[in-house]
Amino acid sequence: MTAAQAIVACMKKEGSDKTFCVPGESYLPVLDALHNEPSIDVVSTRHEGGAAFMAEGYAKASLKPGIVFATRAVGAANLSIGVHTAYQDSTPMIVFLGQVHRKFRGREGFQEVDLDRYFGHIAKWAVEVTDAARMPEIVQRAFRIATSGRPGPVVISLPEDVLPEEAEMHFGPVTNSPKPAPSQQEVTLVEELLTTAKKPVIIAGGGVKSAQAEDDLVAFAEKYKIPVLAAFRRQDVFPNDHPLYAGHLGLGTNKEILQTVNQADVILALGTRLSEVTTQDYSIIKPDKKLVHVAIDYDTIGKVYGPDIGAVADLKEALQLFIHMDIAGSTWASWANVRRRAYEKVSHLEASAGDVINKQIIAHMAKKLPQNALLTTDAGNFAGWLHAFYPFREKHTYVGPTSGAMGYGMPAALGAKLAFPKKIVVSLSGDGGFMMTGQELETAVRYNIPVICLVFNNNMYGTIRMHQEMHYPGKVEATDLGDVAFKDFAISMGADGYSVRTIEAFEVSFDQALHNHRPAVIEIITGKEQISVSSTITEIRDRSTKNSM
């Protein structure tokens, strides 16, 4: 078969049923092979960045590798932010990029870039295939690398003259990702450390989700009554309405929630890389605390903090061993209860007429949406209300970029909806982020992907404006944005469009969007002043001015 046909055969063998792309002449043989394979759906998008975010959102939701195709340097550059997102978010993804003819390499051919070098530091592996017969070997290796250990993106460069070449192809076995378990010695060390603990806490991250170990985490926490904190944008790792849930370590986390880490003497970091945001600028894990770090990737352990006990392990395997530890009857119910009350105090969702519309909308969604509804978010201050107040009660209900990429929310929602067609999927974006990938609304209409897109419109890049006011109060530069009629924008593309200014109008529009089962955009007109959950622009200016005096 041809090298292009071998790529599609590998995808089918590895269980891929969706791929996202912007078509390009450099990989036409692959498109032809996909045309002849009815088991794989091809979603053609409006921009490579949107395609990459869809693939990443699909992978996060389905826990299967997201597949994306693009052409040479121009398409590759456009989708690179999606590759970086997958890398920082530990999301399995395989990126196939058309490349110039082998005879033209090194001559600055049309759209030529050394793609393996270009992506080398933001992918788990980047490779160029120069021998058609090796295509199955390399593509199946890509699936193995993308899904094994800490998941992530793999980039494969495909010279256009390799793809139509025929060769005798040999396929290996389907990828079976290793699932290492902690050694008995490591389990014993954790047991001994917990025996002496007064106030332990769990920080749970994406590794728990990747291992599908959410139920095991609940069982482990319940047995020993240990409070659980979710790492940045991993809130659905543990039921937020559970009495042991103590909050989310994200941007602008309330001080009451941070006290849970500050007061803890033993931290169990489970499946988290202890990122800058989760650790509040690497500040909350002090030397006086004992750290147990369990992650499936050797390089993750000790990368930020040297642990007292480190174990390379699949989190499901680890938790199934930890639950049998003998900690001499120790439980920490009283400590967990105190931290739960602290979380409840600052995350109370009962919205009143005096609350900003952002909070009222979160409260309405919490009441109206089924517990298994899936939410996606873009980057931006608007997400602070979701993070602070929305109760994620079930697993596989949240998809957000820990990399903080703008433009992520809506295309990721399309990918997530394709992974879970029966779930209600709602994306939340600011006006700045939505406009970066808003063209993918046409993709939603063309493929009839019924997502509901909330756009919080305050006519500015709000997060940057907030930091601008902190450092240069009153000196507004480059952060104001013009008016966009998002309702008309949606309708022009064939979607349903709404524009609201009050919670009453939002409730009517949201109910209609839920009932219609069509792609929809609800624009929420918000003021500039309430720039974050905790502060107004005036308050930030006053603090900044006072501090500079």
Side-chain angles (χ1 to χ4, degrees):
M1 62 175 65
T2 67
Q5 291 167 337
I7 291 171
V8 176
C10 287
M11 291 170 59
K12 183 178 180 181
K13 188 178 181 70
E14 295 287 344
S16 298
D17 57 6
K18 296 277 189 303
T19 186
F20 304 86
C21 75
V22 170
E25 69 272 21
S26 63
Y27 69 95
L28 283 175
V30 181
L31 291 174
D32 184 65
L34 285 166
H35 180 272
N36 296 331
E37 182 45 67
S39 69
I40 300 176
D41 294 330
V42 179
V43 179
S44 178
T45 70
R46 286 288 185 159
H47 189 274
E48 292 88 354
F53 284 148
M54 285 182 213
E56 206 275 352
Y58 174 83
K60 263 205 188 88
S62 68
L63 302 180
K64 299 195 301 184
I67 313 294
V68 61
F69 284 87
T71 192
R72 293 183 292 236
V74 287
N78 280 346
L79 65 69
S80 60
I81 186 58
V83 176
H84 182 258
T85 299
Y87 187 75
Q88 288 216 326
D89 288 34
S90 306
T91 305
M93 192 157 84
I94 299 173
V95 181
F96 293 100
L97 299 173
Q99 178 59 291
V100 304
H101 194 293
R102 283 172 293 182
K103 288 183 179 180
F104 305 157
R105 294 285 275 118
R107 294 175 169 178
E108 199 177 338
F110 181 63
Q111 299 179 348
E112 180 183 3
V113 159
D114 289 339
L115 295 172
D116 47 340
R117 292 174 60 197
Y118 183 94
F119 285 96
H121 71 294
I122 59 169
K124 286 189 71 178
W125 185 41
V127 62
E128 186 161 299
V129 184
T130 57
D131 182 349
R134 294 190 64 192
M135 191 65 77
E137 167 207 338
I138 290 173
V139 173
Q140 288 195 275
R141 183 180 173 191
F143 274 91
R144 191 173 304 110
I145 290 172
T147 57
S148 297
R150 177 185 167 187
V154 172
V155 176
I156 303 177
S157 172
L158 306 168
E160 59 183 286
D161 59 313
V162 171
L163 293 174
E165 271 192 12
E166 289 189 350
E168 185 175 330
M169 302 296 180
H170 299 276
F171 297 88
V174 173
T175 299
N176 183 22
S177 299
K179 300 185 184 304
S183 69
Q184 185 55 54
Q185 181 187 33
E186 290 163 343
V187 174
T188 300
L189 289 172
V190 173
E191 181 179 276
E192 291 173 352
L193 182 57
L194 281 176
T195 300
T196 66
K198 301 281 193 253
K199 296 179 177 180
V201 67
I202 294 167
I203 300 177
V208 176
K209 296 174 64 172
S210 297
Q212 301 182 61
E214 294 95 336
D215 294 340
D216 303 277
L217 177 61
V218 171
F220 172 71
E222 285 180 344
K223 179 173 181 179
Y224 303 112
K225 302 296 185 291
I226 303 175
V228 177
L229 292 162
F232 180 45
R233 287 186 166 154
R234 306 296 195 187
Q235 291 99 307
D236 59 341
V237 74
F238 195 87
N240 295 185
D241 57 350
H242 194 286
L244 292 172
Y245 183 71
H248 167 237
L249 295 172
L251 296 165
T253 299
N254 191 283
K255 291 180 181 178
E256 287 284 349
I257 293 172
L258 295 180
Q259 282 301 311
T260 302
V261 180
N262 292 335
Q263 295 177 21
D265 59 350
V266 173
I267 295 172
L268 301 172
L270 305 180
T272 170
R273 63 184 175 91
L274 296 173
S275 69
E276 174 187 342
V277 178
T278 296
T279 61
Q280 312 294 298
D281 295 340
Y282 308 112
S283 68
I284 60 175
I285 301 181
K286 308 285 195 225
D288 63 334
K289 303 181 190 306
K290 299 294 185 182
L291 175 63
V292 177
H293 197 177
V294 183
I296 197 161
D297 178 51
Y298 175 84
D299 290 334
T300 298
I301 296 173
K303 188 173 186 178
V304 179
Y305 296 99
D308 295 273
I309 304 168
V312 177
D314 174 86
L315 263 295
K316 192 174 189 69
E317 298 292 327
L319 288 165
Q320 288 180 353
L321 290 176
F322 289 163
I323 201 168
H324 296 296
M325 294 187 298
D326 181 8
I327 311 183
S330 296
T331 64
W332 296 275
S334 176
W335 152 247
N337 187 47
V338 170
R339 299 325 306 161
R340 173 66 186 182
R341 289 203 305 270
Y343 163 72
E344 290 175 342
K345 182 172 75 172
V346 299
S347 62
H348 184 60
L349 192 50
E350 194 68 36
S352 65
D355 283 318
V356 66
I357 191 172
N358 305 54
K359 184 177 181 181
Q360 293 177 332
I361 285 170
I362 300 302
H364 181 71
M365 288 200 299
K367 292 177 183 176
K368 191 72 179 178
L369 290 174
Q371 291 191 11
N372 73 340
L374 192 152
L375 276 61
T376 72
T377 54
D378 220 293
N381 272 10
F382 69 89
W385 281 273
L386 180 81
H387 292 166
F389 301 113
Y390 188 84
F392 292 92
R393 299 183 177 94
E394 291 190 11
K395 55 191 173 186
H396 301 306
T397 53
Y398 182 52
V399 168
T402 71
S403 70
M406 293 182 71
Y408 178 89
M410 189 263 281
L414 302 188
K417 180 67 174 179
L418 290 172
F420 288 112
K422 294 183 179 179
K423 283 191 176 187
I424 293 171
V425 177
V426 180
S427 74
L428 288 78
S429 305
D431 54 312
F434 186 83
M435 282 297 289
M436 291 188 175
T437 50
Q439 67 275 359
E440 300 309 339
L441 190 61
E442 191 278 330
T443 305
V445 171
R446 185 162 24 102
Y447 289 97
N448 190 27
I449 309 172
V451 298
I452 300 173
C453 309
L454 308 187
V455 181
F456 294 84
N457 186 4
N458 58 6
N459 296 114
M460 64 178 175
Y461 289 120
T463 303
I464 311 308
R465 174 68 178 277
M466 178 182 71
H467 289 285
Q468 199 169 56
E469 295 288 358
M470 288 176 178
H471 298 285
Y472 307 99
K475 300 177 70 176
V476 180
E477 186 66 36
T479 50
D480 281 338
L481 295 171
D483 289 322
V484 176
F486 287 99
K487 173 184 175 180
D488 296 339
F489 177 82
I491 292 172
S492 74
M493 291 195 179
D496 294 340
Y498 310 86
S499 184
V500 304
R501 294 178 180 271
T502 66
I503 186 59
E504 292 80 13
F506 174 81
E507 289 174 359
V508 172
S509 299
F510 194 65
D511 286 353
Q512 288 181 2
L514 288 171
H515 179 264
N516 289 346
H517 302 291
R518 287 169 37 81
V521 173
I522 304 176
E523 176 190 23
I524 301 115
I525 306 297
T526 65
K528 294 179 184 288
E529 181 65 9
Q530 189 67 53
I531 200 166
S532 74
V533 174
S534 59
S535 299
T536 64
I537 288 178
T538 301
E539 290 167 344
I540 293 172
R541 281 183 180 176
D542 289 346
R543 285 197 299 267
S544 301
T545 303
K546 187 180 297 182
N547 292 337
S548 64
M549 294 176 65

